[in-house]
Amino acid sequence: MTDNRQVRLLIIGAPGAGKGTQAARIAERYGIPAVSTGDIFRANIKAGTPLGQQVSAIIESGGLVPDELTNEIVADRLKRDDVTNGFLLDGYPRTVAQVHALDAVLEADARRLDAVLLLEADTDSVVSRLLKRAEIEGRADDTEEVIRHRQEVYLEQTAPLVELFSQRGILVAVDGLGAVDEVSARIFGALDARLDARLGA
Ligand code: AMP
């Protein structure tokens, strides 16, 4: 991947599967910005903006911010100049309604997704990872009860998206368990192959 073709990606997976860590690496490799809705919300909470005030209780409880609000934020973010040549969305879409909203935003500009990376990890592994992260980062939504709730929300609301993207033929599934570097190497191998095939390289 040394040329400057456009790459539009999503990373999807259970909370704790390592999306944020791998998203930063993928973004660097393909020279695209990683856009994380969770990071956007957390930055707003920290800065005490009206959006932050609106979403902080929801995020602390492990629930989902309403689709309409989340869709609006992402639609605005995808209008900025830095995503013209591609992007990696991390943590969005999380519901079927969000998929449809994203479809509309991309179609309006004749943009399309190249691949959806599914980072696979079983529930026990992700829960223990999140409990470890709680000790290190102290995120308000990393208490055990909230962690369990976030897993349930993922299974109910977000896991069905995997089948949807699979039907579209753009799903790339990678085992998210193991050392960070190993997982990155797996991801790069799988994504490079997919992007080369898709773009006819
Ligand atoms: P994350 O950092 O992706 O785990 O997101 C942290 C929290 O932000 C989630 O548990 C939700 O409360 C909220 N959030 C992030 N992305 C979304 C989204 N696409 N839709 C609704 N809520 C979201």
Side-chain angles (χ1 to χ4, degrees), residues 15 19 36-39 41-42 58-59 62-67 70 90-94 98 133 139 141 150:
K19 294 190 300 293
S36 153
T37 41
D39 284 351
F41 291 137
R42 280 185 291 276
I58 299 171
I59 290 181
L64 292 184
V65 174
D67 285 335
T70 309
D90 162 16
Y92 180 93
R94 258 177 156 97
Q98 291 181 12
R133 183 172 79 185
R139 259 175 61 160
D141 57 354
R150 291 170 68 215

Side-chain angles (χ1 to χ4, degrees), residues 57-127:
I58 299 171
I59 290 181
E60 275 184 33
S61 74
L64 292 184
V65 174
D67 285 335
E68 230 170 272
L69 184 56
T70 309
N71 289 336
E72 203 181 301
I73 286 158
V74 174
D76 278 349
R77 181 65 187 83
L78 292 183
K79 282 185 194 134
R80 298 220 324 236
D81 287 346
D82 65 336
V83 295
T84 313
N85 289 323
F87 54 78
L88 167 65
L89 281 176
D90 162 16
Y92 180 93
R94 258 177 156 97
T95 65
V96 173
Q98 291 181 12
V99 173
H100 293 148
L102 177 63
D103 286 345
V105 167
L106 296 180
E107 274 163 24
D109 296 326
R111 295 186 276 186
R112 63 170 188 177
L113 294 173
D114 296 297
V116 175
L117 180 79
L118 170 66
L119 209 47
E120 293 180 305
D122 61 278
T123 304
D124 285 348
S125 308
V126 293
V127 169

